């Protein structure tokens, strides 16, 4: 059993992490679909994300939260990149994973990111995501 | 920057930014995110701006700084649609 205390240095456990969190109103997602329809969906979510979540605004809200949480974890200065460059996928066991492409992937490379973990949650009216990036 | 362009942007913000105050009362240089615009609301603002001005924001312009104030949005709209300026 490993015990940790504030004054204990964990020699041999050199790991740095970047963390991002975001919270999204499910109602806002529903309003966006009502106001902008397919243009909103296709601009923000990948084809796979829409297959997984199109019928469930709470799931879409969780995916949007994951994209924002990832941007926060990346510590975006003012780089411009589209929401679809950060994509939530599902592994065969149902666990969500995050895939980065394009500018987002390049920024992650510059930040020394070598592993990304994402956790999603949603209730009826709110969805949230936490993203942890392990870096060199 | 023309008053008309800023007025149209204020109308979009009033309809889509979900700010806790009247869009008409916001200083053109005030930070909209600090004023309460969520990142998700900024997506609606972007899509509504595209409708209002018949423009399309390229991914490279999807930056916080582009949407952080009325004057920044006006600059972006003017860049994408010179006739709007």
């Amino acid at each position: 059993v490993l015990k940790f205390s504030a004054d204990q240095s964990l020699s041999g456990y050199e790991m740095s992490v970047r963390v991002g969190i975001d919270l999204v109103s499910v109602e806002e997602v529903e309003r966006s679909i009502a106001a902008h329809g397919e243009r909103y969906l296709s601009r923000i979510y990948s084809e796979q994300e829409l297959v997984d979540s199109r019928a469930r605004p709470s799931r879409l809200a969780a995916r949007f939260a994951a994209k924002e949480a990832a941007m926060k974890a990346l510590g975006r200065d003012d780089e411009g990149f589209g929401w679809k460059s950060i994509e939530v996928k599902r592994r065969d066991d149902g666990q969500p994973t995050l895939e980065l492409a394009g500018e987002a992937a390049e920024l992650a490379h510059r930040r020394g990111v070598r592993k990304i973990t994402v956790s999603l949650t949603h209730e009826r009216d709110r969805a949230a995501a936490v993203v942890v990036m392990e870096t060199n | 920057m023309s008053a008309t362009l800023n007025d149209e942007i204020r109308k979009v913000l009033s309809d889509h930014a979900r700010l806790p105050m009247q869009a008409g009362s916001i200083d053109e240089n005030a930070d909209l995110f600090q004023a309460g615009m969520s990142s998700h609301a900024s997506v609606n603002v972007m899509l509504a701006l595209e409708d209002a001005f018949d423009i399309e924001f390229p991914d490279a312009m999807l930056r916080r700084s582009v949407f952080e104030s009325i004057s920044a949005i006006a600059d972006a709209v003017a860049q994408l649609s010179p006739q709007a300026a």
Side-chain angles (χ1 to χ4, degrees):
Chain A
V1 178
L2 282 173
K3 290 186 176 176
F4 303 102
S5 62
D7 60 352
Q8 189 176 22
S9 73
L10 297 171
S11 59
Y13 284 87
E14 289 293 329
M15 185 180 76
S16 297
V17 296
R18 311 177 68 96
V19 180
I21 185 170
D22 197 57
L23 178 67
V24 173
S25 155
V26 176
E27 186 213 345
E28 276 202 44
V29 171
E30 291 169 338
R31 286 167 55 102
S32 298
I33 295 170
H36 301 290
E38 201 60 36
R39 208 154 62 85
Y40 163 76
L41 293 170
S42 63
R43 198 71 174 270
I44 306 296
Y45 307 99
S46 70
E47 286 181 23
Q48 188 59 49
E49 287 174 327
L50 291 175
V51 167
D52 293 340
S53 310
R54 177 185 203 100
R56 299 274 294 276
S58 58
R59 288 189 185 179
L60 290 176
R63 278 154 180 74
F64 190 90
K67 294 165 193 275
E68 278 294 319
M71 289 184 194
K72 290 176 184 175
L74 285 170
R76 187 164 70 144
D77 293 324
D78 199 29
E79 293 89 349
F81 47 81
W83 287 272
K84 284 160 77 171
S85 65
I86 303 171
E87 181 183 13
V88 173
K89 292 192 169 177
R90 287 216 162 268
R91 294 196 318 220
D92 290 343
D93 64 2
Q95 289 294 309
T97 62
L98 212 56
E99 283 195 13
L100 308 187
E103 294 284 329
E106 285 174 27
L107 181 56
H109 181 70
R110 290 205 298 278
R111 297 281 192 251
V113 174
R114 54 186 175 79
K115 187 179 179 191
I116 302 176
T117 309
V118 61
S119 182
L120 309 176
T121 186
H122 56 78
E123 293 195 356
R124 190 165 45 83
D125 56 350
R126 302 250 173 210
V130 172
V131 170
V132 175
M133 299 184 178
E134 295 173 29
T135 62
N136 295 321
Chain B
M1 200 56 64
S2 76
T4 310
L5 175 56
N6 280 3
D7 289 346
E8 289 188 57
I9 291 168
R10 285 180 200 278
K11 171 76 165 63
V12 167
L13 291 172
S14 176
D15 291 344
H16 296 279
R18 309 205 77 192
L19 293 165
M21 71 286 282
Q22 296 286 326
S25 68
I26 299 171
D27 185 90
E28 67 175 39
N29 294 313
D31 188 314
L32 296 170
F33 292 101
Q34 285 191 7
M37 181 170 71
S38 71
S39 52
H40 192 272
S42 75
V43 173
N44 289 335
V45 168
M46 177 200 73
L47 293 170
L49 289 167
E50 290 187 342
D51 284 341
F53 297 103
D54 194 22
I55 54 177
E56 182 167 340
F57 286 92
D59 283 352
M61 285 183 75
L62 300 181
R63 306 194 309 266
R64 181 186 174 89
S65 62
V66 169
F67 297 97
E68 73 182 358
S69 68
I70 291 169
S71 59
I73 292 171
D75 288 344
V77 170
Q79 185 183 330
L80 292 170
S81 175
Q83 65 268 33

